[in-house]
Amino acid sequence: MITVEHLTKCYGDFTAVHDLSFEIEEGHVYGFLGPNGAGKSTTMNIMTGCLSATEGHVRIDGHDIFEEPKLAKKLIGYLPEQPPLYLSETPKEYLRFVGQAKGLRGSELEEQIEEVMELTRITDVQNRAISALSKGYKQRLGIAQALLGRPKVIILDEPTVGLDPIQIIEIRDLIRQLGRDHTVIFSSHILSEVQTICDQILIIAHGQLIAFDKPENLEKRLLSPNEITLAAEAPEEEVRDILSGVDRLTQAEFSKEEGYTAVRLKTDVQDIHAVSRALFLAFADRRVPLLEMSLKKANLEDIFIELTEQAPQEEPAGKEKEADEP
């Protein structure tokens, strides 16, 4: 559906996006994840034809966004981080303007306006001034305008930024619903949001793609080891001897406390509870009391931190001029 090939964007001698390549298949929800200044908004602006590229190509359903812009852009609905709303108009007036700009006329225009208002649940506020709407309704209206023209691809740049928890849940539900009929790409800084909504996750850092996979596969391939912290009422030597009989422990850090030995363990086993069970039984067999045991299972946040910290960095000559940071 979307092919990005060797995409590069330079601002002077600073490279904001460097040799970025990936393919987006039809009918999935993709999360675009990365820290501020990673190049997410720059990439999205190039993919939608709002920004030129220094090098590389973007093809939407076979149409090059630079060489066949009209054909390619008809397939895309885009919500930038700051929704392009006219605050003096009502939602219905604004949607009529956007629809006409997209070439819709007559009954088809009115039909699609009603369709997107119902889908985004803004029908009840269609005749209010946009300036009087909440941030959540404004975001819904921004998504509604992106849906006009029935594009195959919906690209949303930080659609939940600045929303309260209830509004965030509502927008997440809307994105899931859109994913049934559209290919959806959205960027976010909320890791749990990406993990729960997306079929695939792209992680970008320093303008380069560093991971692209299903959430569960990222967990299997890239997670930091799970951790178990325990405190045993025994000398360190005895604790070490007990631990030597437990499989799949990859690291142990000991500290001597008054009356007990504390140890932080790491394991490469995804089923951390199976390892904790083996530890409990090993200490029980030796009749050594466990005073404490706590588990820490690595998650998507650990993946994100690990990958972005390990990503290669180029020395920037200036600050990236994109909308990643509000």
Side-chain angles (χ1 to χ4, degrees):
M1 187 65 201
I2 301 177
T3 303
V4 176
E5 297 178 336
H6 305 292
L7 196 65
T8 297
K9 178 63 179 179
C10 299
Y11 296 100
D13 54 0
F14 172 65
T15 303
V17 176
H18 178 63
D19 197 27
L20 194 62
S21 296
F22 57 86
E23 291 190 12
I24 299 293
E25 297 180 358
E26 189 172 357
H28 296 283
V29 178
Y30 292 83
F32 205 25
L33 192 62
N36 283 335
K40 300 189 306 299
S41 289
T42 293
T43 303
M44 286 185 159
N45 281 324
I46 295 173
M47 290 170 63
T48 55
C50 297
L51 189 66
S52 63
T54 305
E55 295 179 11
H57 296 276
V58 176
R59 294 181 177 86
I60 313 295
D61 205 17
H63 301 290
D64 192 292
I65 195 70
F66 308 121
E67 297 176 3
E68 302 175 279
K70 289 185 178 180
L71 292 173
K73 290 179 181 180
K74 280 186 177 181
L75 301 172
I76 301 172
Y78 181 40
L79 173 66
E81 186 174 348
Q82 300 296 328
L85 305 177
Y86 296 112
L87 301 182
S88 61
E89 295 184 344
T90 66
K92 192 164 188 177
E93 291 171 339
Y94 172 71
L95 290 173
R96 185 173 291 114
F97 167 77
V98 173
Q100 290 173 345
K102 291 186 176 185
L104 301 175
R105 297 291 185 271
S107 60
E108 183 183 15
L109 172 61
E110 298 304 318
E111 178 185 330
Q112 288 202 32
I113 289 175
E114 295 299 324
E115 179 183 298
V116 300
M117 286 197 301
E118 182 177 351
L119 182 60
T120 57
R121 295 194 295 173
I122 60 172
T123 304
D124 292 344
V125 299
Q126 62 180 297
N127 295 315
R128 296 184 192 175
I130 295 175
S131 60
L133 299 181
S134 68
K135 181 67 182 293
Y137 273 119
K138 289 176 180 176
Q139 287 294 89
R140 288 178 175 276
L141 178 57
I143 295 174
Q145 64 81 26
L147 293 172
L148 287 172
R150 298 184 178 130
K152 289 186 176 181
V153 180
I154 306 296
I155 298 179
L156 311 173
D157 192 0
E158 300 284 356
T160 60
V161 67
L163 302 183
D164 65 39
I166 294 176
Q167 293 170 336
I168 289 174
I169 292 172
E170 291 174 346
I171 296 297
R172 286 179 187 173
D173 291 340
L174 177 57
I175 292 173
R176 288 192 189 97
Q177 187 175 355
L178 293 177
R180 299 170 190 166
D181 302 309
H182 304 269
T183 299
V184 181
I185 306 169
F186 79 98
S187 66
S188 177
H189 290 99
I190 304 175
L191 305 178
S192 59
E193 181 173 79
V194 172
Q195 191 171 22
T196 56
I197 295 177
C198 297
D199 303 314
Q200 300 268 349
I201 296 174
L202 299 87
I203 301 179
I204 186 173
H206 312 296
Q208 299 181 43
L209 186 68
I210 55 176
F212 185 7
D213 211 332
K214 295 178 180 180
E216 58 268 27
N217 290 343
L218 284 173
E219 290 181 359
K220 291 176 183 177
R221 295 193 300 112
L222 301 169
L223 275 179
S224 300
N226 296 321
E227 291 186 2
I228 300 173
T229 302
L230 60 84
E233 196 175 271
E236 180 178 326
E237 293 75 13
E238 187 174 1
V239 173
R240 285 184 180 274
D241 186 47
I242 295 172
L243 294 177
S244 66
V246 180
D247 294 333
R248 303 299 293 274
L249 297 177
T250 59
Q251 185 176 333
E253 297 179 7
F254 292 84
S255 61
K256 177 64 178 175
E257 307 293 339
E258 187 174 350
Y260 65 92
T261 298
V263 57
R264 188 175 71 170
L265 303 166
K266 290 189 177 183
T267 173
D268 56 4
V269 177
Q270 291 303 309
D271 186 3
I272 191 173
H273 295 94
V275 179
S276 66
R277 188 182 304 112
L279 285 166
F280 178 85
L281 293 174
F283 280 89
D285 285 345
R286 297 282 289 269
R287 302 187 64 82
V288 173
L290 280 176
L291 307 179
E292 177 185 352
M293 180 184 290
S294 62
L295 313 182
K296 179 189 176 185
K297 183 171 176 59
N299 53 31
L300 185 60
E301 183 173 358
D302 297 305
I303 297 176
F304 179 73
I305 293 172
E306 180 178 341
L307 289 176
T308 53
E309 286 181 348
Q310 291 178 357
Q313 299 187 36
E314 292 188 1
E315 291 297 326
K319 186 177 180 180
E320 179 179 350
K321 301 176 183 177
E322 66 158 344
D324 269 353
E325 297 188 18

